[in-house]
């Protein structure tokens, strides 16, 4: 990675004694990005946020900058890189700028869209002419938003990106619907489908009850026939008479 000549722009409060007006621009692009860097890692996506203490326009003029940014992301497995620059102008006023470098168009567009529309906190971004389709630069109007306050906005951008990529293929998406809402809608549709099934579709009907069972209209539903004492006595007499006739045959 190559570096450019020095410049006279006053640096912000340097986090390290090495970062002085004369030594800071002599660092390579990777050294500048890694000097004060944070990383967000979420669901396999890594985004680096580097504080760069110089004018963004000067930073973008560095020789072979795009090649250096691509190599930096490739070597450290970053999907996107955000450079937040800060310096003081001649009126001793802080100037904040930021650049989003990301070869993945969908991720870059989502991040830039959320940053541009952020209201909590408002960044008040003004686009700066870009040197590459993979890089979008901004002037940050709200200089009170430091990197610490910027990180939650970036987290929101990643959430928006993952929500957009979780849509099942072949199914139409609903604008503004989160993944949790989609799951509820799918459960609701499934329950409606189940409740709409007929009795025949849910469980097959039972076979008809045979007539020899104790059910209504069965001949046996009134129980056994009732017997009187007289009928029992008469039956017993008939049995005794029959037995006596067989035992004592009549004389001729």
């Amino acid at each position: 990675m190559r570096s450019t000549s020095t410049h006279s722009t006053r640096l912000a409060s340097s986090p390290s004694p090495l970062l002085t007006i004369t030594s800071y621009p002599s660092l390579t692009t990777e050294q500048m990005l890694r000097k004060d860097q944070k990383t967000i890692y979420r669901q396999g996506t890594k985004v680096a946020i580097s504080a760069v203490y110089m004018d963004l326009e000067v930073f973008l003029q560095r020789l072979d900058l795009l090649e250096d940014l691509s190599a930096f992301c490739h070597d450290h497995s970053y999907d996107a890189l955000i450079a937040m620059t800060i310096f003081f102008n001649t009126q001793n006023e802080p100037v904040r700028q930021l650049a989003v470098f990301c070869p993945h168009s969908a991720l870059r567009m989502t991040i830039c869209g959320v940053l541009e529309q952020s209201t909590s906190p408002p960044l008040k971004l003004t686009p700066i002419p870009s040197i590459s389709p993979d890089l979008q630069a901004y002037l940050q109007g709200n200089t009170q938003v430091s990197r610490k306050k910027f990180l939650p906005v970036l987290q929101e951008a990643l959430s928006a990106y993952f929500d957009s990529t979780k849509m099942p293929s072949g199914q139409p998406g609903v604008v503004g619907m989160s993944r949790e809402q989609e799951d509820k809608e799918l459960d609701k549709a499934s329950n409606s489908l189940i409740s709409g099934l007929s009795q025949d579709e849910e469980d097959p009907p039972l076979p008809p009850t045979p007539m020899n069972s104790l059910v209504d209209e069965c001949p046996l539903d009134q129980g056994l026939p009732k017997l009187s004492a007289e009928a029992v006595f008469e039956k017993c007499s008939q049995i005794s008479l029959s037995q006596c006739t067989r035992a004592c045959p009549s004389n001729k």
Side-chain angles (χ1 to χ4, degrees):
M1 296 183 182
R2 302 180 184 178
S3 59
T4 59
S5 59
T6 61
H7 61 89
S8 58
T9 302
R10 179 185 171 188
L11 299 174
S13 54
S14 301
S16 168
L18 296 176
L19 304 183
T20 63
I21 294 178
T22 58
S23 65
Y24 190 82
S26 65
L27 299 176
T28 65
T29 300
E30 180 175 4
Q31 290 171 338
M32 294 175 65
L33 295 174
R34 291 182 63 83
K35 202 66 184 178
D36 190 2
Q37 175 193 320
K38 302 292 183 182
T39 302
I40 293 181
Y41 182 86
R42 185 175 180 183
Q43 298 186 23
T45 299
K46 292 176 63 177
V47 179
I49 308 97
S50 299
V52 179
Y53 299 90
M54 65 189 305
D55 189 340
L56 180 60
E57 295 183 0
V58 176
F59 178 75
L60 295 179
Q61 294 174 4
R62 294 176 67 86
L63 186 63
D64 298 329
L65 176 66
L66 295 177
E67 290 80 356
D68 290 347
L69 296 179
S70 298
F72 178 79
C73 291
H74 179 270
D75 294 343
H76 302 284
S77 300
Y78 292 125
D79 297 282
L81 165 67
I82 298 179
M84 302 186 68
T85 67
I86 180 172
F87 69 96
F88 289 87
N89 58 20
T90 55
Q91 287 77 34
N92 202 30
E93 298 172 339
V95 178
R96 289 186 181 272
Q97 303 153 308
L98 63 88
V100 179
F101 176 80
C102 179
H104 310 288
S105 60
L107 179 58
R108 183 182 66 256
M109 293 176 62
T110 302
I111 292 177
C112 291
V114 173
L115 298 184
E116 293 172 2
Q117 300 174 11
S118 175
T119 58
S120 181
L123 300 176
K124 300 180 180 179
L125 300 180
T126 302
I128 297 176
S130 176
I131 61 176
S132 168
D134 296 338
L135 188 146
Q136 178 61 58
Y138 298 96
L139 172 65
Q140 182 179 316
N142 188 355
T143 59
Q144 300 300 316
V145 180
S146 61
R147 183 172 57 183
K148 181 179 180 180
K149 298 178 180 179
F150 175 82
L151 289 177
V153 183
L154 183 58
Q155 292 279 12
E156 179 183 349
L158 292 181
S159 297
Y161 171 72
F162 289 123
D163 288 343
S164 65
T165 58
K166 287 181 180 179
M167 184 66 62
S169 59
Q171 297 185 5
V174 180
V175 178
M177 179 179 291
S178 65
R179 182 62 179 175
E180 182 178 356
Q181 291 173 322
E182 293 173 12
D183 292 338
K184 291 181 179 179
E185 291 297 325
L186 290 176
D187 291 340
K188 184 186 299 183
S190 178
N191 293 334
S192 299
L193 178 61
I194 294 176
S195 61
L197 293 176
S198 66
Q199 178 67 25
D200 291 342
E201 290 172 325
E202 288 188 21
D203 295 305
L206 295 176
T209 305
M211 292 300 293
N212 59 353
S213 300
L214 298 179
V215 295
D216 292 343
E217 307 301 330
C218 176
L220 298 181
D221 61 347
Q222 301 299 326
L224 297 175
K226 296 180 180 180
L227 299 178
S228 62
E230 292 79 7
V232 174
F233 179 77
E234 182 179 357
K235 187 65 176 177
C236 292
S237 298
Q238 293 176 356
I239 296 173
S240 297
L241 180 59
S242 174
Q243 292 177 349
C244 181
T245 301
R246 290 195 300 268
C248 305
S250 59
N251 296 325
K252 295 182 179 179

